[in-house]
Amino acid sequence: MSVALYDGQYSFRQNELATKGIQHGGHKMSAEQAKTFEASPFMVKARQQEEYTSRLTSERDKLRKQTDRDFQPCDDDFTAPKAFDYDKGINYYTVLGVDEYAPLEEIKKAYKKLSLLYHPDKTSGLTKEEQEERAGVFIELKNAYLVLADQATRRQYDRDRDSTTAGSEVNGYQRRKDRVPFDATEMMKKIQEHYKPPGREIDVEVLCKLEKFFYGGAKSVVRNRRVIRDFQESYEDKQFRIDVPKGAEEPFECKMKGGDMNLETQTDMLRFILKTKPHKVLERHGCDLHVAKELRLRPDAHLQPFLSTAVNTVDGR
């Protein structure tokens, strides 16, 4: 009987040689092996990615010079120590609410403005949960500033992100979306919206089936509303879901945000007023259901001890 032994180290060395050209054990590739490896699809793609990355970096530097006169790039930036061990998957520009080519002064102003809002010293009157949330935002703002305020770190960060973009283009895969733990631009819009005077309160009458009030359930309403984004006005349909409780009184009222957007005031508030549609058999009077039905009595009805009939109801229709 023969026994075959599996040499894991040998298999690892063979895989390293095949995929990366690394030959362990002190042995070097021969000239022929090196030539074959350089011509391999892996190395061809790697060179294409590096060339594409260099083009993106060069274009970025040109645009940076146009927006920032103090920007003086040098090759030493890519070997200098990092001011912060960044995560290239996070968009630090979005965190601070600035453009990718923003000058240093703009980055400083954005950080100062946001840090004053989220600094731990400004959260004394908030709940513990709100304090923890703002502390987390403050840390993200600080990390973004450390990356973008240091020229060498910022260029290394930009180059790493450009390399990811180049890799997705060269190899034909879709780039992962950036992780944005905090969006300063959206937050500033919310703050500005908060300090606007209240918008109008619009009454919207909605008719529901009687059964909706009896059993309870959700009522969907679609309304066309005005939308303002970046000072551009347009119109879109928005769907609202109104939850009607079982046995709800009539009229049932429900207030929701989501009316027309306005430049000078907050978004209009909608007050939905729900009423019952006419029913074929029943009528609602307050909390009671009434039914009107014609009864034909026998001539001797007055001699009967009681009278009975059957009527339709909501529950047993």
Side-chain angles (χ1 to χ4, degrees):
M1 180 178 68
S2 62
V3 179
L5 297 177
Y6 173 73
D7 189 344
Q9 287 297 323
Y10 176 76
S11 178
F12 171 75
R13 289 194 297 270
Q14 291 295 99
N15 181 66
E16 291 284 277
L17 178 60
T19 59
K20 303 177 184 177
I22 301 174
Q23 190 163 11
H24 296 268
H27 301 290
K28 296 182 178 180
M29 285 192 294
S30 65
E32 187 64 28
Q33 288 175 326
K35 183 178 180 181
T36 302
F37 177 67
E38 287 296 323
S40 66
F42 171 80
M43 289 303 295
V44 171
K45 293 284 187 182
R47 286 193 295 271
Q48 290 176 350
Q49 180 175 344
E50 184 61 30
E51 291 171 1
Y52 193 4
T53 301
S54 297
R55 283 204 310 274
L56 292 175
T57 300
S58 178
E59 292 171 3
R60 182 184 294 276
D61 289 344
K62 290 178 182 178
L63 292 172
R64 280 281 304 279
K65 287 180 181 179
Q66 295 176 7
T67 58
D68 190 351
R69 296 179 180 178
D70 297 329
F71 177 59
Q72 298 293 332
C74 64
D75 292 339
D76 292 340
D77 290 338
F78 298 114
T79 57
K82 296 177 182 177
F84 176 72
D85 189 15
Y86 55 76
D87 182 347
K88 67 178 181 179
I90 295 178
N91 192 329
Y92 293 111
Y93 294 102
T94 304
V95 172
L96 289 182
V98 297
D99 186 79
E100 287 190 15
Y101 309 105
L104 181 59
E105 284 303 315
E106 186 177 334
I107 290 172
K108 289 181 177 180
K109 288 180 182 179
Y111 172 69
K112 183 177 180 180
K113 185 176 182 179
L114 291 166
S115 61
L116 288 174
L117 289 172
Y118 289 93
H119 195 279
D121 294 342
K122 305 290 184 179
T123 61
S124 56
L126 302 178
T127 64
K128 184 178 179 181
E129 183 178 346
E130 290 174 330
Q131 288 178 347
E132 291 177 352
E133 180 182 355
R134 295 209 170 195
V137 171
F138 182 74
I139 291 173
E140 294 295 340
L141 293 172
K142 188 175 181 180
N143 293 344
Y145 180 73
L146 289 173
V147 174
L148 303 183
D150 181 75
Q151 175 172 300
T153 307
R154 181 178 176 180
R155 293 195 74 208
Q156 292 177 46
Y157 167 72
D158 287 338
R159 185 176 178 84
D160 284 346
R161 288 169 61 80
D162 288 342
S163 179
T164 301
T165 301
S168 64
E169 292 289 337
V170 170
N171 295 292
Y173 61 80
Q174 188 174 6
R175 177 180 172 174
R176 292 182 180 179
K177 292 183 178 180
D178 291 330
R179 297 193 302 278
V180 184
F182 175 76
D183 190 332
T185 304
E186 288 300 318
M187 183 54 64
M188 293 307 296
K189 287 181 181 179
K190 290 180 181 179
I191 292 173
Q192 291 172 358
E193 182 74 15
H194 177 74
Y195 285 105
K196 288 181 180 179
R200 300 174 301 165
E201 186 172 294
I202 308 298
D203 288 346
V204 181
E205 187 172 305
V206 179
L207 295 179
C208 293
K209 291 182 179 179
L210 180 62
E211 290 83 351
K212 188 75 69 176
F213 283 87
F214 189 85
Y215 296 110
K219 174 67 176 179
S220 294
V221 179
V222 177
R223 279 182 59 83
N224 189 261
R225 67 168 190 157
R226 180 175 62 241
V227 178
I228 300 175
R229 294 189 179 95
D230 298 326
F231 300 99
Q232 298 294 320
E233 183 177 307
S234 61
Y235 288 84
E236 67 179 18
D237 288 339
K238 181 176 176 61
Q239 185 173 13
F240 299 87
R241 173 192 167 104
I242 306 170
D243 291 319
V244 183
K246 183 178 180 180
E249 295 184 0
E250 183 184 357
F252 175 73
E253 296 185 2
C254 177
K255 291 185 179 182
M256 289 187 182
K257 293 181 179 179
D260 288 343
M261 292 184 177
N262 308 297
L263 287 173
E264 303 297 333
T265 63
Q266 295 181 24
T267 301
D268 291 343
M269 179 76 70
L270 300 178
R271 183 166 68 118
F272 292 101
I273 304 173
L274 277 68
K275 299 180 180 179
T276 56
K277 294 179 180 179
H279 196 274
K280 292 181 179 179
V281 178
L282 303 171
E283 293 181 2
R284 178 171 182 173
H285 297 278
C287 294
D288 298 325
L289 296 178
H290 292 192
V291 59
K293 184 174 182 179
E294 184 179 85
L295 299 179
R296 294 186 177 275
L297 302 179
R298 292 163 46 183
D300 61 346
H302 64 287
L303 300 176
Q304 302 302 319
F306 64 89
L307 301 174
S308 65
T309 188
V311 296
N312 294 328
T313 65
V314 174
D315 195 18
R317 65 186 188 281

